[in-house]
Amino acid sequence: GEVVAVPFGTRGTVLGPGPEGRIEVSFEESSVEPAKNLNVQSFEIQPAKELLGGFRVAQRVKAAADIRAQETLLASPGSFGTVLGEYSDTRLIVVFDQRQDGREEAVNLGPNEIEAV
């Protein structure tokens, strides 16, 4: 199976350039992994910052109301999900644990459509 070296959302500190164009990062200890330094690619990390609505990457959230794509119900109020990042300057990307339509793709939402858990 796939080995996860650092869980999604783990904070770290950029130490500087690593070998072969990589970036050396010191990742903080998480609930499942001890602290460690790794050489990562630029697309594997992003700055820790507050997102729209005060949310942050990897934050657990729940739907505040029905989430729909036209007539299709994607998530019911109270459905749990995880913030993946910003979609635009007005929308966030959220992946729900279980979508009502059975699909697994993330959706883009306004920050008023979700609540922090």
Side-chain angles (χ1 to χ4, degrees), residues 91-106:
R91 300 181 75 75
L92 299 166
I93 304 168
V94 176
V95 63
F96 286 97
D97 297 350
Q98 186 171 17
R99 283 180 38 168
Q100 296 296 311
D101 63 353
R103 298 185 64 162
E104 297 179 2
E105 294 90 354

Side-chain angles (χ1 to χ4, degrees), residues 72-113:
T72 304
L73 179 63
L74 305 180
S76 300
S79 297
F80 293 102
T82 303
V83 176
L84 299 182
E86 287 181 331
Y87 178 78
S88 68
D89 61 349
T90 61
R91 300 181 75 75
L92 299 166
I93 304 168
V94 176
V95 63
F96 286 97
D97 297 350
Q98 186 171 17
R99 283 180 38 168
Q100 296 296 311
D101 63 353
R103 298 185 64 162
E104 297 179 2
E105 294 90 354
V107 296
N108 67 76
L109 307 167
N112 60 325
E113 297 179 89

Side-chain angles (χ1 to χ4, degrees), residues 1-116:
E2 187 176 295
V3 175
V4 176
V6 178
F8 177 72
T10 301
R11 290 181 174 258
T13 302
V14 172
L15 301 176
E20 300 175 10
R22 290 178 173 257
I23 302 165
E24 185 176 5
V25 178
S26 175
F27 287 98
E28 297 175 3
E29 182 175 338
S30 75
S31 60
V32 294
E33 290 288 332
K36 61 177 70 169
N37 290 4
L38 292 175
N39 293 310
V40 301
Q41 297 180 64
S42 61
F43 69 85
E44 295 176 304
I45 58 174
Q46 59 183 300
K49 66 175 187 168
E50 187 173 287
L51 306 177
L52 298 168
F55 295 101
R56 64 184 190 288
V57 169
Q59 182 174 357
R60 295 290 293 161
V61 295
K62 64 181 178 180
D66 281 347
I67 306 295
R68 295 184 175 275
Q70 298 174 2
E71 298 300 316
T72 304
L73 179 63
L74 305 180
S76 300
S79 297
F80 293 102
T82 303
V83 176
L84 299 182
E86 287 181 331
Y87 178 78
S88 68
D89 61 349
T90 61
R91 300 181 75 75
L92 299 166
I93 304 168
V94 176
V95 63
F96 286 97
D97 297 350
Q98 186 171 17
R99 283 180 38 168
Q100 296 296 311
D101 63 353
R103 298 185 64 162
E104 297 179 2
E105 294 90 354
V107 296
N108 67 76
L109 307 167
N112 60 325
E113 297 179 89
I114 54 174
E115 301 172 344

